[in-house]
Amino acid sequence: MLWSFFHDSLLIWINNFPLLGCIIIIFIPRNQLVLIRFFSLIISSLTFLITIYLWILFDESYFYFQFVISKKILNFELIQYFLGVDGISLFFIILTSLLIFVCFLLNWNANEEYNKEFLILFFMIESLLLNAFSTIDLLLFYIFFEGVLIPIFTIIGIFGSRTRKIRASYQFFLYTLLGSLLILIAILLIYFETGTTNINFLYNVDFYERKQLLLWLAFFASFAVKVPMIPFHIWLPEAHAEAPTSGSIILAGILLKLGGYGFLRFSLPLFPYASFYYSPLIYTLSIIAIIYASLTTLRQVDLKKIVAYSSIAHIGYVILGIFSFNVQGLEGSLLLILGHGFVSSALFLCVGVLYDRYKTRILKYYSGLTTFIPLFAVLLFFFTLANIGLPGTSNFIGEFIILIGLIQTSVIATIFSTSGIILSASYCLWFYNRLIFGNLKENYFKFLQDISKKEFMALIPLVILTLIMGLYPNIFLHSIHITILRLLTHII
Amino acid sequence: MGAMQVKKNPYVEAWVAGRETLEERFRFTPRNIRTALLFGVLVPYGIYLLVAHDMAESKSTDRPEWKHLKREFPGVPVRSADSAQHS
């Protein structure tokens, strides 16, 4: 009885389990920090395990949304708590729960400043993101999409590392909010035209071409800021540089993926004509993002900014894949989103390891670390190679499949975007070389210490997942293939 | 771990702080305007023209044809499939 209740409302459990964590933590006294962290870790690991169970139950051959739940919240037809999972959202959900678990593991014996409120904010982010990825209602998606702003704004603004954190948090908030206002107007227009915000119904609506062009632009304004695409990217390096390590992991690993998810879930199937119409513009912005962001990465001296700008370049590939309108491009973009989620989070974690010890992220101070912290050097080398897209790692599979898809659409765009691979090798290897090799600058360092067991345990799952995806991507591709085919039936 | 904090170099710190507040000291000089126009307008527009032409001519190749694509992109002259074949 209880099992069937759990089984029937699996998505509600997954999405609201973190809220249970919030409630438990609220009632634990502030001075019991070990107990608070213990419960956080238990709740987040349970959420992750339930999402894995969701994957096990997921039917790879089913065409439509699965585990569908519909609950009427208010006596008002417009707002319904309508949830469902398909191949696109499944891995976003798993990635969210995994990275939140990694963040809690990382904060296990962190400073006391990362206290009860910090953990509550993370549970809020987790719940909002899980809801955003599993809702199949446009209005609810908007609510959760915007809701994530508040805890992230607080995390950067309060728990950030430097004085520029206030500026960074406001920049992040204003950029995202400004873009999102247009999407709200678009949602209201869609509702007044169709009478629903349910995606299942909206997928069958054929919007008039001129209307599609306008609505697509409104959605684009929001998702392009979130992704972010050049020239809407200014907030990202600032936010990353000021956020605490866990905040950066969530920002790079999941939050940026909301934009890509939005393009896949809404822009492409709802406005196919407009997506084709604007595709040269999107290609141009993505190529510019790949080349300019890579060149900008080359001249950064802040470790976090290096990873942040390289994220912008990689997301350029994701967008190119999404707008290549074929199976390879779309599947490749989903794989790269996932792979980038593992690799960029791990790189931020590695930067966090250095910052926790030496309280600086400026590259000028570091050199010759391999002699004194070899384990860290090996792990960083692995993730640097994965960031380049070395065969056998997750990013290679994603980028390779995207380029296969892209060349069928535009040879010119493929030629331009492949230059990004060379550039990424340049900045990644230069970054690693400056940090790890050479002579240690002894006048800056008193003593050095390799990574702790806790940090190692946080990094190892990401190493394993990066390798699994790089060596046997079919595990993931099987689950997304049918959904991508369904998506293409709406487009082509 | 606080004991491991690096001994900071004031010159490096000042140099990095200067880089971070570049926008406060930025002035539109003729050189900056030229660079901004080149990399902010001309290069992106050039890429746009190349990509749009490439996509518009995709029908003359064996690449898939899309029902939604009318091969009309803003700012790009249209060349029909017939004229592409004749030329």
Side-chain angles (χ1 to χ4, degrees):
Chain A
M1 177 74 180
L2 193 66
W3 180 251
S4 69
F5 172 68
F6 170 73
H7 205 272
D8 292 343
S9 50
L10 194 58
L11 276 180
I12 292 186
W13 279 100
I14 290 173
N15 293 353
N16 297 310
F17 213 58
L19 290 182
L20 182 73
C22 273
I23 294 165
I24 291 173
I25 290 176
I26 285 170
F27 289 106
I28 301 176
R30 177 182 293 275
N31 53 3
Q32 302 279 330
L33 200 55
V34 176
L35 197 63
I36 290 171
R37 284 175 177 166
F38 175 75
F39 271 110
S40 314
L41 203 61
I42 293 291
I43 297 278
S44 64
S45 57
L46 280 176
T47 314
F48 175 59
L49 288 176
I50 302 173
T51 57
I52 294 293
Y53 181 62
L54 182 82
W55 188 11
I56 293 166
L57 293 180
F58 186 77
D59 184 357
E60 291 165 354
S61 58
Y62 191 63
F63 217 61
Y64 296 99
F65 287 100
Q66 300 176 40
F67 311 101
V68 175
I69 295 161
S70 175
K71 298 263 183 237
K72 211 169 183 179
I73 302 172
L74 301 169
N75 194 17
F76 181 46
E77 282 300 322
L78 180 59
I79 300 178
Q80 280 198 6
Y81 192 54
F82 206 7
L83 304 174
V85 171
D86 65 355
I88 296 174
S89 51
L90 177 69
F91 291 110
F92 284 96
I93 290 171
I94 296 171
L95 184 69
T96 306
S97 60
L98 169 74
L99 291 183
I100 293 285
F101 171 68
V102 167
C103 288
F104 284 136
L105 197 61
L106 195 68
N107 286 318
W108 177 250
N109 53 359
N111 295 342
E112 281 187 11
E113 61 182 298
Y114 300 126
N115 50 18
K116 186 169 159 175
E117 288 76 19
F118 186 73
L119 299 173
I120 287 173
L121 286 170
F122 268 85
F123 273 130
M124 282 171 68
I125 291 173
E126 185 176 19
S127 182
L128 289 165
L129 282 169
L130 290 172
N131 274 300
F133 288 132
S134 59
T135 184
I136 41 180
D137 187 279
L138 199 50
L139 190 68
L140 270 188
F141 173 79
Y142 174 77
I143 292 167
F144 295 126
F145 181 80
E146 286 304 294
V148 181
L149 271 182
I150 300 160
I152 283 282
F153 172 77
T154 320
I155 282 175
I156 299 171
I158 294 176
F159 299 99
S161 51
R162 300 184 304 177
T163 46
R164 277 171 74 91
K165 62 189 180 184
I166 304 295
R167 176 198 160 95
S169 59
Y170 272 102
Q171 216 171 35
F172 162 72
F173 195 84
L174 292 176
Y175 260 86
T176 321
L177 194 68
L178 222 66
S180 304
L181 286 178
L182 292 173
I183 200 176
L184 179 63
I185 297 168
I187 291 170
L188 291 175
L189 276 172
I190 290 171
Y191 176 71
F192 287 121
E193 176 150 331
T194 62
T196 181
T197 50
N198 187 325
I199 301 169
N200 271 331
F201 290 110
L202 291 175
Y203 278 172
N204 300 317
V205 176
D206 204 4
F207 290 100
Y208 177 60
E209 287 174 1
R210 280 202 178 278
K211 195 163 272 178
Q212 276 199 33
L213 295 180
L214 283 172
L215 291 173
W216 188 93
L217 278 180
F219 277 73
F220 171 76
S222 180
F223 299 145
V225 172
K226 206 75 163 189
V227 167
M229 293 173 83
I230 286 178
F232 313 105
H233 68 289
I234 303 295
W235 64 270
L236 182 77
E238 288 286 328
H240 271 304
E242 303 309 322
T245 306
S246 309
S248 292
I249 290 172
I250 295 302
L251 263 176
I254 319 165
L255 216 67
L256 307 188
K257 276 66 183 176
L258 263 175
Y261 176 79
F263 280 127
L264 278 168
R265 173 70 75 216
F266 304 110
S267 297
L268 247 60
L270 291 182
F271 319 117
Y273 169 75
S275 298
F276 279 104
Y277 183 82
Y278 288 117
S279 55
L281 175 74
I282 290 287
Y283 281 18
T284 308
L285 291 177
S286 302
I287 291 166
I288 294 291
I290 290 170
I291 297 173
Y292 284 17
S294 300
L295 291 173
T296 313
T297 313
L298 277 169
R299 63 183 302 279
Q300 296 305 312
V301 289
D302 186 313
L303 295 174
K304 269 194 171 179
K305 282 190 178 175
I306 290 174
V307 187
Y309 275 109
S310 87
S311 293
I312 297 173
H314 281 101
I315 291 295
Y317 281 104
V318 171
I319 302 301
L320 281 174
I322 291 173
F323 283 88
S324 61
F325 310 111
N326 50 45
V327 179
Q328 292 93 338
L330 289 164
E331 288 187 354
S333 63
L334 261 176
L335 284 185
L336 188 57
I337 284 175
L338 270 177
H340 182 260
F342 304 144
V343 174
S344 65
S345 307
L347 285 171
F348 276 115
L349 210 154
C350 288
V351 173
V353 166
L354 289 180
Y355 186 76
D356 282 348
R357 285 161 173 70
Y358 313 117
K359 302 293 172 212
T360 183
R361 293 189 309 262
I362 300 168
L363 203 48
K364 285 272 172 192
Y365 290 112
Y366 295 104
S367 181
L369 295 183
T370 189
T371 323
F372 299 93
I373 47 174
L375 188 56
F376 172 81
V378 169
L379 286 168
L380 183 66
F381 188 57
F382 174 78
F383 287 114
T384 308
L385 292 180
N387 203 33
I388 294 169
L390 189 85
T393 60
S394 55
N395 280 20
F396 170 75
I397 297 293
E399 284 174 15
F400 186 67
I401 302 178
I402 284 172
L403 290 176
I404 290 172
L406 188 62
I407 202 162
Q408 296 170 42
T409 312
S410 170
V411 178
I412 297 286
T414 315
I415 292 168
F416 276 120
S417 56
T418 43
S419 66
I421 294 175
I422 300 159
L423 287 169
S424 78
S426 317
Y427 63 71
C428 283
L429 291 176
W430 199 35
F431 154 75
Y432 188 78
N433 187 42
R434 282 185 290 174
L435 192 68
I436 298 295
F437 297 126
N439 296 323
L440 184 74
K441 294 174 178 170
E442 287 171 3
N443 47 339
Y444 296 139
F445 291 96
K446 286 174 196 157
F447 60 92
L448 294 135
Q449 188 187 42
D450 213 334
I451 58 169
S452 63
K453 274 184 196 164
K454 175 201 75 177
E455 289 155 350
F456 184 75
M457 293 302 287
L459 278 167
I460 278 300
L462 301 174
V463 172
I464 293 168
L465 285 166
T466 307
L467 279 175
I468 288 175
M469 187 182 265
L471 296 172
Y472 193 65
N474 274 353
I475 296 175
F476 303 93
L477 282 172
H478 281 316
S479 303
I480 61 178
H481 189 66
I482 289 288
T483 311
I484 293 296
L485 288 180
R486 189 198 65 191
L487 180 64
L488 280 171
T489 59
H490 292 294
I491 305 170
I492 299 174
Chain B
M1 287 184 188
M4 280 187 273
Q5 195 168 338
V6 292
K7 189 182 162 193
K8 290 192 174 161
N9 182 334
Y11 297 106
V12 172
E13 294 296 316
W15 175 67
V16 172
R19 282 173 64 99
E20 283 189 341
T21 53
L22 201 64
E23 72 275 8
E24 290 169 14
R25 285 170 285 111
F26 181 82
R27 295 286 176 271
F28 274 107
T29 59
R31 185 171 173 271
N32 281 342
I33 292 170
R34 268 202 309 276
T35 314
L37 282 176
L38 177 64
F39 292 103
V41 180
L42 285 178
V43 171
Y45 186 61
I47 292 173
Y48 174 81
L49 283 181
L50 281 170
V51 170
H53 266 295
D54 184 45
M55 292 182 78
E57 288 182 4
S58 64
K59 200 175 179 182
S60 58
T61 67
D62 57 353
R63 276 179 256 162
E65 192 184 333
W66 305 315
K67 74 174 182 191
H68 291 288
L69 184 60
K70 297 190 171 174
R71 290 181 289 111
E72 291 169 14
F73 299 118
V76 179
V78 181
R79 201 164 68 137
S80 69
D82 295 336
S83 66
Q85 279 169 1
H86 288 304
S87 63

